[in-house]
Amino acid sequence: MTVIYIDTLFLLNALVDYLLLLAAARLAGEPLRRGRFALGAVLGGLYAVAIFLPGLTFLSHPLCRLSSVVLMLTAAYGGSRRLLRQGILFVALTCAFGGGVVAIGLLGGTGLSLGKGVFYSALDLKMVLLSAAVCYGVLTLVFQRLGKHSAAAGELVRAGLCLGGRRVELTALIDTGNTLTDPASGQSVMVAEGVRLSALFPSDHRPGPADLSSPVDGIARLGTEGWKSRFRLLPYRSVGVERGLLLAVKADALDLNGEGRGPVLVALSPTPVSDGGGYQALIGPM
């Protein structure tokens, strides 16, 4: 007779779900909202416990299982423009992980088991935590390698911006989902972290955090003298933002991997565009 401890069952599944949610977000190139991933993982852990409780075995029905996955994904990724993509990646990673567990079991492993679609273990909590730490370390190394492959594939490029004789270099992601354009010219707009471009501006016209967060006030302060034609307000729409404004500046020149692209409008983001810091700007295919 197999004895399953509720605390170990919950903790193990919550940790596995958290790592899988984190992995799917990284593969999709989305910002890592760790608090929301933790919420989704807690829901997954509670579901794992519930299906083993007396009177709740009906929760193992495929429709109930599907509903639990949808609820967990909504909690973790809700509002993302790549919700479907992240969900598919999460399911694929879960299947791969489950297949690995079954394979280990067939080879005689006794540490981790799969039953009713959830993971359980005869190990104590200390060993579960240690195993989770090792898994996280392995995932981190794997995704660092994936980042290098993305650069080799041309998804990450070295971008140089010039403005008034000043130059800044940063790493940009070629993002097919970035459809932001200049309303005046129809050209693609680069979205860059505002704080990363401070070296482009003289001290008296350098956008600060308050200018980036409140672009209307920012352009009133910065768009004076010879810089009046440089700064502008750029309207945008995104998931959760029906009508928003970004402070933008017209750069004299952009080059990608050393290839000149001419002048470009750069929207100054008040927040990082990459949670892990692997890139500092987004630009659509040019």
Side-chain angles (χ1 to χ4, degrees), residues 186-208:
Q187 294 182 339
S188 296
V189 173
M190 171 182 278
V191 180
E193 298 174 15
V195 295
R196 298 279 186 167
L197 304 185
S198 59
L200 282 178
F201 307 93
S203 57
D204 55 340
H205 285 86
R206 183 172 298 157

Side-chain angles (χ1 to χ4, degrees), residues 30-31 33 36-37 70-87 236-242:
E30 284 290 290
R33 300 179 176 88
R36 297 193 61 169
F37 297 168
V70 171
L71 178 61
M72 183 169 60
L73 293 177
T74 302
Y77 303 138
S80 170
R81 62 184 178 181
R82 295 191 178 102
L83 176 59
L84 179 59
R85 180 181 180 184
Q86 291 181 103
Y236 76 98
R237 297 176 60 184
S238 65
V239 176
V241 180
E242 182 65 26

Side-chain angles (χ1 to χ4, degrees), residues 170-187:
L170 61 164
T171 302
L173 172 70
I174 304 297
D175 182 14
T176 57
N178 178 24
T179 58
L180 191 62
T181 57
D182 182 357
S185 65
Q187 294 182 339

Side-chain angles (χ1 to χ4, degrees), residues 187-249:
Q187 294 182 339
S188 296
V189 173
M190 171 182 278
V191 180
E193 298 174 15
V195 295
R196 298 279 186 167
L197 304 185
S198 59
L200 282 178
F201 307 93
S203 57
D204 55 340
H205 285 86
R206 183 172 298 157
D211 300 314
L212 301 176
S213 299
S214 181
V216 175
D217 295 335
I219 197 170
R221 187 183 76 83
L222 300 169
T224 59
E225 301 174 356
W227 289 82
K228 186 174 183 180
S229 60
R230 291 284 192 180
F231 288 104
R232 69 182 68 175
L233 294 176
L234 185 67
Y236 76 98
R237 297 176 60 184
S238 65
V239 176
V241 180
E242 182 65 26
R243 295 179 181 177
L245 290 173
L246 289 172
L247 184 65
V249 64

Side-chain angles (χ1 to χ4, degrees), residues 93-115:
L93 288 170
T94 301
C95 292
F97 191 75
V101 170
V102 173
I104 292 174
L106 292 175
L107 293 175
T110 58
L112 190 65
S113 302
L114 182 65

